[in-house]
């Protein structure tokens, strides 16, 4: 039976050295609880770093044994690994880049090497435990190279990857010198998940533009499989926060704190010390509020919890000093003997106290400058049992995509944040209740357990889809079957598309001239079979390229046909009525003028707008615009607009490759048919083929064809084998 392995940089525990032995406490974090539903089952395990540098072999052995009982496997890191891989590349390169703090990015090749080395260390640890068919779920930005390393060692494993922090726009991604390796690393997974749609579209764009893998509807077309990319907004353990808020312990803490603080309004803010959290900006806004509204003095105060983190790093040290200074300035300016505006804590609190803070606060001010999701805002909402309280939430947090009933603010807009706090302080109880109820309903439904379930279901779904493609792949068995059938046939017929099928694509379509290898294959094939080149290309180009070959040619999707027996004479399918061309050409020209790199190709029966050379992204955008424009025009002229491989073509609907192929076959004896093509225009050919024909689509797209094949290179190999 296959098992599931969870992998993250940190194991869900903390280790403490006591009297020469390590003691550990399990983490109570939401992720640990959510994933607990997986790794605590059956043979499943969690692999990760225990969080301490342990050099002694004896101590390591003790930890391994201890953790084994709790279904965890440690990966030990040296002090150097921690400095260069964790503090270095993860936290000084990836973290600032992915949170849009480009000024803090450190470009250090030694850190990069360490990152690579530690990802390999993780890979080795996993390979010691994993079976070929296991499911492996890798978490977060410290392990971006791991999915590819695992894929190479375990090609059939089911690999999921989830990134907890934002994925930045292509503009940021391309700044990182090691961007290609990073993206390729992530593409080793079968499913790549992010919190939000924006993260996933940034990732897809970077993958397309940096490593050249195209995608459609969130599916990346990799060399030999489809990778699914999707958004999975992470939830919290809702029940736990609700229960804790109800508990006697929390209720009594609330009573006690309230007695000390009186009935003033409380604003809670909780963050790890980090520049992405916007803590100084928040303090500035609070200061402005107090300056503008003296009537609030003594009536409102802020409870600011900052959890210590990375404070040995210079930028964090400076941030800490800035916060200390600001809090000092506000308190020294406004405090009275009975009122302190900011209650500032630079430390963490036990869970029941945290719950009390959430429960008793009137407002949660969650204003990160950038945050993957942010769970604090969700925990605040879940703790509001009396439905009194207002959430002010930054638009830059992933959670803002879900919690639309919060007061949403731009954290850089100080005026907006001041107004939002004032709005929250004066909000009617009924409105508070309506907003909270609606958010609670969705948080309760999409909790962390649901998140885990949805991710895993999706992962297995992707795997099943891949298996479908795999079963259609032209493997050795299929090749032998085609070969045998071909050899025993008296009248074999081959329908071969040209671009993308017999040759690769070039920036300029006229440069895709058949090379020596292809010429040799076609020449040999045409001695043993009836070969038909069936293409959308114009007849002059095809006629020129295959002038001396004994093959039939179908050009422009079937407008023209040239039988090998008829020398250089082309037959026309139907009179071409091209009175529509001028109007359509004018429209296309307008889009050429606006789109550097685009060009128009004119064929007898159609006009084609090419955008292969256009800047990626812009080409798609213009194509879609032109598509809807042309679709509207097409109705009036009874034409059909079709999207191809980096082209948009407008033509008569009754002309297609399928009809042309059928027409040609009428007078032809055949006891073996092989049809190969790479795009939607070839689907008409596949559909028209009689039962028993072998039909193959190049690339792993959904198709009417019986089989898929990787690329034109494999097509050439297959064809060469037929006449070996
Ligand atoms: C990453 C992403 C994404 C905080 N102070 C105390 C305390 N906490 C707990 C909170 C909350 C957690 O820490 C912080 O969660 P965040 O979501 O804000 O941030 P990270 O976990 O650092 O970060 C983030 C997340 O992954 C999940 O995908 O949301 O965007 O950066 O659960 O309750 N807990 C206790 N005492 C404290 O003083 N007990």
């Amino acid at each position: 039976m296959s098992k599931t392995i969870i992998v993250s940089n940190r194991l869900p525990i903390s280790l403490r050295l006591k009297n020469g032995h390590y003691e550990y406490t399990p983490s109570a974090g939401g992720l640990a609880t959510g994933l607990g539903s997986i790794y605590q089952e059956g043979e499943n395990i969690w692999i990760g770093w225990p969080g301490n540098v342990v050099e002694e072999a004896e101590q390591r052995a003790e930890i391994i044994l201890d953790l084994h009982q709790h279904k965890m496997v440690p990966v030990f890191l040296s002090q150097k690994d921690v400095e260069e891989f964790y503090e270095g590349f993860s936290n000084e390169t990836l973290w600032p880049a992915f949170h849009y703090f480009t000024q803090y990015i450190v470009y250090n090749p030694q850190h990069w090497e360490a990152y690579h080395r530690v990802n390999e260390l993780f890979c080795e640890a996993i390979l010691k435990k994993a079976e070929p068919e296991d499911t492996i779920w890798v978490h977060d930005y410290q392990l971006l190279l791991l999915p590819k390393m695992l894929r190479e060692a375990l090609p059939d494993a089911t690999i999921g990857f989830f990134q907890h922090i934002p994925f930045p726009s292509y503009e940021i991604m391309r700044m990182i010198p090691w961007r290609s390796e990073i993206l390729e690393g992530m593409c080793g997974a079968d499913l790549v998940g992010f919190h939000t749609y924006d993260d996933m579209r940034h990732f897809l764009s970077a993958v397309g533009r940096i490593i050249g893998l195209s995608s459609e509807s969130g599916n990346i077309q990799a060399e030999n499989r489809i990778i699914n990319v999707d958004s999975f907004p992470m939830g919290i353990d809702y029940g736990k926060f609700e229960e804790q808020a109800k508990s006697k312990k929390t209720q009594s803490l609330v009573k006690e704190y309230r007695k000390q603080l009186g009935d003033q309004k409380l604003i809670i803010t909780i963050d790890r010390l980090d520049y992405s959290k916007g803590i100084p900006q928040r303090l500035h806004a609070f200061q402005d509020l107090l300056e503008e509204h003296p009537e609030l003095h003594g009536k409102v105060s802020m409870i600011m919890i900052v959890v210590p983190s990375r404070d040995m790093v210079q930028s964090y040290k400076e941030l800490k000093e800035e916060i200390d200074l600001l809090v000092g300035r506000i308190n020294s300016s406004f405090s009275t003997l009975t009122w302190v505006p900011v209650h500032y804590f630079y430390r963490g609190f036990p869970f029941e106290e945290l719950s009390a803070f959430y429960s008793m606060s009137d407002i949660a001010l969650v204003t990160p400058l950038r945050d993957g999701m942010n769970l604090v805002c969700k925990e605040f909402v879940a703790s509001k049992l009396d439905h009194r309280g207002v959430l002010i939430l930054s638009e830059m947090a992933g959670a803002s995509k879900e919690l639309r009933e919060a007061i949403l603010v731009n954290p850089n807009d100080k005026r907006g944040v001041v107004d939002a706090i004032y709005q929250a302080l004066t909000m009617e109880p009924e409105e508070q209740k309506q907003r909270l109820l609606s958010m609670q309903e969705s948080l309760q439904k999409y909790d962390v357990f649901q998140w885990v379930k949805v991710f895993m279901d999706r992962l297995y779904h992707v795997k099943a889809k891949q298996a479908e493609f795999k079963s259609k792949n032209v493997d050795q068995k299929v090749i032998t079957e085609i070969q045998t059938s071909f050899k025993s046939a008296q009248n074999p017929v081959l329908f071969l598309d040209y671009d993308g099928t017999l040759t690769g694509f070039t920036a300029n379509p006229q440069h895709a001239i058949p090379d020596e290898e292809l010429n040799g294959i076609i020449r040999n094939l045409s001695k043993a079979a009836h070969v038909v080149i069936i293409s959308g290309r114009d007849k002059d180009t095809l006629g020129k390229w295959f002038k001396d070959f004994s093959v039939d040619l179908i050009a422009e999707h079937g407008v023209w046909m040239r039988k090998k027996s008829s020398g250089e004479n082309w037959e026309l399918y139907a009179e071409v009525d091209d009175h529509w061309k001028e109007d359509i050409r004018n429209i296309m020209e307008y889009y050429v003028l606006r789109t550097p790199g685009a060009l128009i190709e004119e064929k007898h029966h159609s006009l084609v707008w090419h955008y292969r050379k256009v800047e990626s992204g812009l080409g798609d955008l213009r194509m879609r615009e032109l598509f809807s424009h042309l679709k509207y025009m097409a109705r009036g002229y009874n034409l059909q607009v079709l999207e191809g491989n980096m082209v948009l073509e407008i033509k008569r609907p009754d002309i297609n490759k399928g009809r042309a192929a059928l027409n040609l076959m009428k007078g032809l004896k055949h006891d073996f048919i092989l049809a190969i093509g790479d795009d939607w225009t070839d689907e008409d050919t596949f559909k028209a083929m009689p039962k028993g024909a072998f039909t193959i689509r190049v690339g792993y797209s959904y198709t009417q064809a019986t089989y898929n094949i990787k690329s034109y290179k494999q097509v050439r190999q297959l064809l060469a084998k037929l006449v070996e």
Side-chain angles (χ1 to χ4, degrees):
M1 247 265 298
S2 66
K3 63 179 173 303
T4 300
I5 303 177
I6 304 287
V7 190
S8 63
N9 175 50
R10 280 294 305 274
L11 281 174
I13 48 154
S14 43
L15 283 185
R16 220 158 46 97
L17 191 60
K18 211 173 164 192
N19 305 328
H21 295 279
Y22 278 98
E23 286 182 351
Y24 76 96
T25 353
S27 154
L31 185 65
T33 321
L35 294 175
S37 57
I38 295 186
Y39 82 96
Q40 282 160 1
E41 291 289 310
E43 294 297 299
N44 303 347
I45 46 171
W46 190 325
I47 298 184
W49 177 45
N52 297 48
V53 175
V54 183
E55 298 289 5
E56 295 244 341
E58 218 170 285
Q59 284 178 334
R60 284 188 175 188
E62 205 180 314
I63 292 172
I64 292 172
L65 218 63
D66 252 10
L67 292 183
H68 177 74
Q69 292 168 24
H70 297 90
K71 315 195 67 183
M72 291 183 213
V73 177
V75 178
F76 292 106
L77 302 184
S78 67
Q79 188 55 37
K80 187 167 154 42
D81 290 338
V82 174
E83 280 162 21
E84 295 178 351
F85 147 78
Y86 180 62
E87 290 161 6
F89 198 78
S90 300
N91 290 339
E92 289 179 2
T93 306
L94 294 177
W95 179 273
F98 285 19
H99 285 86
Y100 293 76
F101 283 85
T102 51
Q103 70 274 34
Y104 293 139
I105 304 178
V106 171
Y107 301 98
N108 182 333
Q110 205 171 319
H111 288 181
W112 163 249
E113 274 168 34
Y115 187 78
H116 200 279
R117 181 178 73 234
V118 173
N119 271 252
E120 264 173 359
L121 212 63
F122 270 81
C123 185
E124 284 160 22
I126 295 162
L127 294 181
K128 279 189 197 143
K129 301 285 169 188
E131 302 291 330
E133 310 253 304
D134 281 353
T135 298
I136 307 172
W137 186 1
V138 180
H139 287 262
D140 229 359
Y141 66 104
Q142 300 91 351
L143 301 173
L144 298 179
L145 307 180
L146 188 53
K148 183 179 175 208
M149 293 172 176
L150 289 169
R151 173 69 56 211
E152 282 166 0
L154 304 169
D156 295 325
T158 301
I159 304 175
F161 174 80
F162 187 83
Q163 179 158 308
H164 292 262
I165 67 172
F167 195 90
S169 113
Y170 156 76
E171 286 301 331
I172 306 272
M173 197 58 205
R174 69 178 174 145
M175 292 170 72
I176 303 175
W178 309 280
R179 63 217 173 164
S180 301
E181 291 93 327
I182 291 172
L183 293 168
E184 280 160 7
M186 296 170 81
C187 285
D190 298 303
L191 173 63
V192 179
F194 299 97
H195 283 303
T196 69
Y197 170 69
D198 281 334
D199 298 322
M200 77 177 250
R201 77 184 170 81
H202 288 155
F203 175 71
L204 288 169
S205 150
V207 163
R209 303 181 81 167
I210 297 173
I211 58 172
L213 295 182
S214 62
S215 60
E216 210 183 295
S217 315
N219 291 314
I220 298 176
Q221 170 93 57
E223 258 214 3
N224 51 2
R225 73 211 153 86
I226 298 250
I227 303 159
N228 187 229
V229 180
D230 211 338
S231 75
F232 302 88
M234 186 176 152
I236 56 167
D237 183 353
Y238 190 92
K240 182 176 148 191
F241 282 88
E242 195 183 27
E243 283 310 307
Q244 185 63 42
K246 277 186 201 157
S247 73
K248 275 208 182 98
K249 177 75 192 160
T250 290
Q251 302 264 353
S252 82
L253 282 171
V254 169
K255 226 184 239 167
E256 187 189 325
Y257 296 153
R258 266 295 175 192
K259 209 155 97 194
Q260 290 163 15
L261 291 162
D263 62 357
Q264 57 175 314
K265 298 256 184 180
L266 298 174
I267 302 173
I268 180 86
T269 91
I270 304 181
D271 312 86
R272 202 170 41 73
L273 178 72
D274 199 281
Y275 44 76
S276 65
K277 301 292 185 183
I279 304 170
Q281 289 80 348
R282 198 178 304 165
L283 285 165
H284 282 296
F286 189 55
Q287 181 176 1
D288 280 15
L289 177 88
L290 295 178
E291 275 163 12
E292 284 172 27
H293 294 279
E295 78 279 10
L296 292 177
H297 294 191
K299 302 221 169 69
V300 57
S301 62
M302 181 182 268
I303 300 174
M304 176 172 269
I305 299 171
V306 179
V307 182
S309 158
R310 309 176 196 171
D311 47 11
M312 297 317 283
V313 177
Q314 189 54 27
S315 52
Y316 286 75
K317 222 185 260 176
E318 286 165 14
L319 175 67
K320 166 78 172 42
E321 280 161 17
E322 189 184 355
I323 297 170
D324 290 354
L325 207 77
L326 279 169
V327 172
R329 194 186 299 159
I330 296 173
N331 282 347
S332 59
S333 306
F334 299 102
S335 294
T336 63
L337 277 178
T338 52
W339 172 61
V340 179
V342 184
H343 300 268
Y344 170 43
F345 306 92
Y346 185 60
R347 59 172 193 267
F349 285 87
F351 182 53
E352 53 275 14
E353 287 187 48
L354 189 78
S355 170
F357 288 143
Y358 284 143
S359 299
M360 71 185 194
S361 296
D362 300 279
I363 296 170
L365 187 54
V366 184
T367 54
L369 301 176
R370 199 61 73 161
D371 214 335
M373 171 53 68
N374 192 292
L375 301 179
V376 166
C377 57
K378 294 187 170 184
E379 295 166 0
F380 169 76
V381 170
S383 308
K384 301 313 273 176
L385 301 182
D386 59 358
H387 306 123
R388 295 289 295 272
V390 184
L391 171 64
I392 301 174
L393 179 60
S394 163
E395 299 165 357
M396 309 296 175
S400 70
K401 305 287 189 305
E402 287 171 86
L403 302 176
R404 310 301 295 181
E405 289 79 15
I407 301 179
L408 296 179
V409 292
N410 174 348
N412 301 301
D413 172 14
K414 190 163 63 161
R415 178 73 262 153
V417 177
V418 174
D419 291 346
I421 302 175
Y422 192 76
Q423 185 192 347
L425 286 168
T426 52
M427 189 181 283
E428 290 299 328
E430 189 48 34
E431 186 178 349
Q432 295 181 26
K433 183 175 175 184
Q434 290 311 322
R435 288 180 185 241
L436 277 172
L437 277 173
S438 153
M439 291 190 281
Q440 285 177 340
E441 195 187 333
S442 90
L443 291 180
Q444 198 159 16
K445 198 147 125 203
Y446 300 106
D447 66 4
V448 71
F449 304 103
Q450 186 65 13
W451 175 76
V452 169
K453 183 177 176 319
V454 171
F455 186 91
M456 292 308 275
D457 285 352
R458 188 78 196 154
L459 182 55
Y460 292 127
H461 171 79
V462 174
K463 212 60 192 172
K465 280 278 155 215
Q466 285 179 358
E468 244 172 65
F469 279 124
K470 210 171 170 192
S471 70
K472 292 180 74 173
N473 191 35
V474 177
D475 57 13
Q476 192 46 53
K477 193 169 144 253
V478 176
I479 293 175
T480 312
E481 194 188 336
I482 296 175
Q483 260 179 324
T484 318
S485 178
F486 180 83
K487 293 250 154 79
S488 63
Q490 303 297 313
N491 300 297
V493 179
L494 272 59
F495 287 96
L496 306 174
D497 166 54
Y498 186 73
D499 294 274
T501 301
L502 294 177
T503 187
F505 288 100
T506 53
N508 185 331
Q510 288 308 319
H511 293 165
I513 306 167
D515 54 37
E516 274 309 303
E517 182 190 55
L518 180 59
N519 283 339
I521 292 172
I522 299 293
R523 196 161 279 126
N524 288 340
L525 270 180
S526 62
K527 286 180 199 151
H530 192 110
V531 177
V532 186
I533 307 283
I534 181 165
S535 166
R537 277 196 180 256
D538 66 277
K539 75 179 197 331
D540 296 337
T541 307
L542 279 188
K544 191 167 76 192
W545 287 352
F546 293 99
K547 188 165 180 287
D548 302 322
F549 289 77
S550 176
V551 295
D552 286 354
L553 298 177
I554 292 174
E556 297 192 26
H557 302 119
V559 176
W560 297 99
M561 185 158 75
R562 194 204 76 176
K563 292 256 179 69
K564 58 183 175 186
S565 50
S566 63
E568 288 183 28
N569 295 331
W570 287 89
E571 286 169 41
L572 185 63
Y573 159 66
E575 271 315 310
V576 178
D577 169 14
D578 58 3
H579 75 283
W580 53 272
K581 274 190 174 168
E582 195 177 338
D583 285 352
I584 302 284
R585 193 187 303 106
N586 285 341
I587 295 169
M588 283 188 167
E589 260 159 19
Y590 170 65
Y591 282 84
V592 167
L593 287 178
R594 292 170 60 212
T595 320
L599 58 100
I600 299 171
E601 182 190 3
E602 179 155 357
K603 298 185 191 173
H604 281 88
H605 77 297
S606 73
L607 285 172
V608 192
W609 193 79
H610 287 258
Y611 63 99
R612 183 170 301 279
K613 281 198 285 183
V614 177
E615 181 190 353
S616 118
L618 178 67
D620 284 322
L621 181 81
R622 288 282 192 272
M623 184 275 288
R624 262 190 288 278
E625 234 181 284
L626 177 60
F627 194 95
S628 60
H629 201 154
L630 288 183
K631 246 179 131 171
Y632 170 75
M633 299 284 295
R635 254 178 269 150
Y637 288 113
N638 190 25
L639 296 167
Q640 185 185 26
V641 191
L642 294 166
E643 193 189 328
N645 198 321
M646 299 287 187
V647 295
L648 204 58
E649 179 148 10
I650 185 159
K651 68 176 186 65
R652 271 173 50 171
D654 59 328
I655 294 172
N656 67 56
K657 289 180 177 177
R659 188 206 52 78
L662 273 181
N663 216 11
L664 191 138
M665 271 195 297
K666 266 185 211 154
L668 213 63
K669 276 198 195 156
H670 53 77
D671 51 2
F672 167 96
I673 295 181
L674 170 63
I676 317 182
D678 77 310
D679 70 16
W680 50 266
T681 62
D682 302 300
E683 292 293 323
D684 289 324
T685 315
F686 303 145
K687 272 185 266 175
M689 291 297 118
K691 229 173 139 221
F694 293 97
T695 50
I696 306 178
R697 171 123 181 202
V698 183
Y700 296 95
S701 308
Y702 294 99
T703 178
Q704 298 271 343
T706 331
Y707 299 107
N708 291 87
I709 197 165
K710 196 157 131 188
S711 81
Y712 77 92
K713 291 181 190 152
Q714 280 69 32
V715 173
R716 287 186 181 193
Q717 283 168 10
L718 169 69
L719 295 177
K721 277 194 182 143
L722 295 184
V723 283
E724 248 170 18

